Amino acid sequence: AASTCIWTGVPLRVFLEHVGIKSKEEGANWINFESPKGEVPQGDTTYGASHAREVCMNPTRPCMLAFMMNGELLHPDHGYPVRLLMPGYIGGRMIKWLTKISVTEGEGQNYYHLYDNRVFPKHITSKDEATKHKIWTDPMYTINDRNINSAIWAPAHCEKVSLSAGKYTVGGYAYNGAGRPIHRVEVTLNDGHTWMPATIHRFEKPSEFGMVYCWVHWTVDVPLQQLKGCGEFAVRAWDDSQNCQPERPSWNLMGMMNNPWFRVKVHDVPGGSAIWFEHPTRVEPNLGHAWDKDRLHLTADGQLASPGWQERLKAQYSEAFKPLPLEEQPLDGEEYNDKARFLRSENVKKTTGAKAPTMEISAEAMSGDGSVNNVGIKVGGKVQCEHCIQKFDTEAAKKMHFRFIHDPNRHQED
């Protein structure tokens, strides 16, 4: 979740000092926050988060126990009467309806702190795999700060525009985590070959520590004839360390923190000198919430022309980015690239010849004993090496192995 508003509350650092938090040497290392019992079904039925002392007490990050939002007492859906606010963090780490705060020596064990908000590597394809590799509690996979992201809100999904207008002001928002600023936003009409810099509109001055936490808006004027001809345009953002959004998504088990370029497709309006735009998905719950339906491209029965291109191409999108077993992974990656390129052009590439070879896995590497000791080692031959566990098919092969591996008189150039 991401939002920008004015919060009022008690600084968390001041609160913890007021109640007499012990020193780190005395074991006060983690601050744990919990919602009311019965909010969620798993664990002890509380939704909780555990944050390091160094974050909660850091004066450069204005963590807060908030009770007001935009000048009003918190509404129930925003956490009334008190919620935790951790600027820069994802929404799932800011506990609403805050009921209990505790201080512990070790990291808190709330079910949702451990088993939610994690980004695992692509080869972790199930909960059982994550458990097998013992990474649920590994801090290397925990989500706290948001990553850099941007999106397009103008044109809107299914918005139609007359080509007689000349130019269109494309716009949207961008944000980052950890108090790091957005330094630039760019729009491409040709799949990243060239980029147009957008104008950034900022609503926040850096804090005394140089930190910023609010999103920014951005705009760029684009000739409509160029939008008509591009088929698809996309946006990406950069921060002060020259980190930028990746071109493609990265599959992970929980589907979190994906921040690839935000892409919008462009289509001709049949029978009219106009174009309409297709977002990855629609965000409004129903068309009745649209205040200006006249600007939307609708079907004959008054429905949106598309559910969103990612929804429409869900099967192909999954095929392009889903994890594959090791033995099915293409060696050169071009099969992956073809599937990703299809999502932009929606044209099937005509291929001739055999399918690209996939990775061959030796019997030794697929032993299934859970170790890597035998991977890449010849153990099925008839001639045993006297110096290691390897076996070879011929005496000559064994002698060559000895010469290059075990011979104490071998030379570096050999």
Side-chain angles (χ1 to χ4, degrees):
S3 66
T4 289
C5 56
I6 298 174
W7 298 94
T8 303
V10 178
L12 182 57
R13 179 168 57 94
V14 172
F15 171 82
L16 292 173
E17 289 173 346
H18 176 75
V19 299
I21 185 172
K22 293 182 179 181
S23 67
K24 191 172 179 66
E25 291 72 24
E26 294 175 291
N29 298 327
W30 293 87
I31 322 299
N32 311 300
F33 304 86
E34 294 180 6
S35 73
K37 283 188 176 293
E39 184 201 348
V40 286
Q42 301 291 340
D44 66 356
T45 73
T46 69
Y47 192 93
S50 184
H51 298 311
R53 175 198 183 97
E54 291 77 9
V55 176
C56 296
M57 302 294 287
N58 186 350
T60 70
R61 189 188 292 262
C63 304
M64 180 187 297
L65 301 179
F67 54 83
M68 296 183 73
M69 178 180 175
N70 289 338
E72 298 180 347
L73 291 177
L74 289 176
H75 291 191
D77 56 338
H78 290 297
Y80 177 87
V82 177
R83 71 169 295 165
L84 175 65
L85 188 74
M86 305 287 287
Y89 273 25
I90 61 167
R93 296 302 188 193
M94 305 189 207
I95 305 306
K96 295 191 288 187
W97 313 291
L98 186 59
T99 303
K100 181 180 179 180
I101 301 175
S102 61
V103 181
T104 53
E105 183 174 3
E107 186 173 2
Q109 298 297 298
N110 182 274
Y111 181 93
Y112 290 91
H113 177 69
L114 296 180
Y115 300 109
D116 198 1
N117 300 312
R118 308 248 160 187
V119 174
F120 293 137
K122 192 170 183 175
H123 68 272
I124 302 297
T125 56
S126 69
K127 292 181 178 180
D128 291 340
E129 278 293 304
T131 301
K132 171 185 172 181
H133 291 279
K134 301 179 180 179
I135 60 176
W136 285 112
T137 57
D138 190 330
M140 298 300 102
Y141 305 103
T142 301
I143 306 171
N144 284 319
D145 276 299
R146 300 187 304 252
N147 52 3
I148 190 169
N149 212 344
S150 64
I152 296 166
W153 61 32
H157 178 52
C158 286
E159 180 178 343
K160 62 181 177 182
V161 176
S162 171
L163 293 173
S164 63
K167 287 187 176 182
Y168 187 94
T169 301
V170 177
Y173 63 87
Y175 61 78
N176 203 4
R180 310 196 72 148
I182 297 294
H183 266 202
R184 70 183 193 265
V185 177
E186 303 171 320
V187 171
T188 180
L189 307 184
N190 55 17
D191 203 29
H193 293 287
T194 58
W195 295 85
M196 296 180 292
T199 300
I200 296 178
H201 310 278
R202 304 183 189 276
F203 307 97
E204 168 192 27
K205 293 181 179 180
S207 71
E208 61 180 302
F209 304 104
M211 313 292 271
V212 290
Y213 294 100
C214 297
W215 58 12
V216 299
H217 295 178
W218 58 266
T219 54
V220 60
D221 291 335
V222 183
L224 277 166
Q225 287 298 330
Q226 292 185 20
L227 284 177
K228 171 181 169 60
C230 73
E232 178 187 274
F233 59 97
V235 65
R236 70 180 180 186
W238 298 72
D239 71 9
D240 59 338
S241 290
Q242 306 307 325
N243 298 308
C244 78
Q245 293 171 245
E247 176 184 356
R248 297 177 181 177
S250 178
W251 188 97
N252 66 83
L253 179 60
M254 296 187 181
M256 295 184 173
M257 299 294 275
N258 260 305
N259 62 334
W261 304 350
F262 190 99
R263 298 173 181 266
V264 173
K265 290 181 178 290
V266 186
H267 306 280
D268 289 325
V269 174
S273 181
I275 53 178
W276 67 279
F277 303 93
E278 186 182 21
H279 278 226
T281 188
R282 57 185 291 186
V283 294
E284 82 292 342
N286 64 69
L287 199 54
H289 291 182
W291 58 271
D292 52 354
K293 285 197 290 185
D294 290 343
R295 70 174 179 143
L296 300 179
H297 177 54
L298 304 177
T299 61
D301 59 354
Q303 300 301 311
L304 289 176
S306 166
W309 67 262
Q310 279 190 16
E311 298 288 340
R312 181 170 56 80
L313 301 173
K314 183 181 293 184
Q316 296 90 332
Y317 196 86
S318 174
E319 191 67 23
F321 301 115
K322 69 181 181 181
L324 291 175
L326 190 61
E327 62 271 16
E328 295 180 19
Q329 294 177 10
L331 287 177
D332 63 359
E334 273 308 296
E335 189 175 337
Y336 282 125
N337 291 332
D338 287 343
K339 292 175 180 178
R341 282 190 285 262
F342 169 83
L343 295 172
R344 184 178 194 276
S345 66
E346 298 187 43
N347 292 322
V348 178
K349 180 180 177 182
K350 295 182 179 180
T351 58
T352 59
K355 185 178 178 181
T358 56
M359 188 177 296
E360 294 183 6
I361 311 299
S362 69
E364 291 87 353
M366 298 178 66
S367 62
D369 62 2
S371 73
V372 295
N373 292 337
N374 291 338
V375 173
I377 297 176
K378 179 71 172 175
V379 294
K382 300 176 181 178
V383 183
Q384 173 73 56
C385 174
E386 296 86 353
H387 304 278
C388 67
I389 65 171
Q390 296 209 58
K391 296 180 181 180
F392 300 90
D393 293 332
T394 66
E395 189 69 30
K398 186 192 78 167
K399 289 181 178 179
M400 184 68 71
H401 165 75
F402 174 81
R403 177 188 173 194
F404 284 100
I405 302 299
H406 301 298
D407 188 350
N409 298 318
R410 72 184 185 277
H411 297 290
Q412 186 66 38
E413 59 266 26
D414 286 340

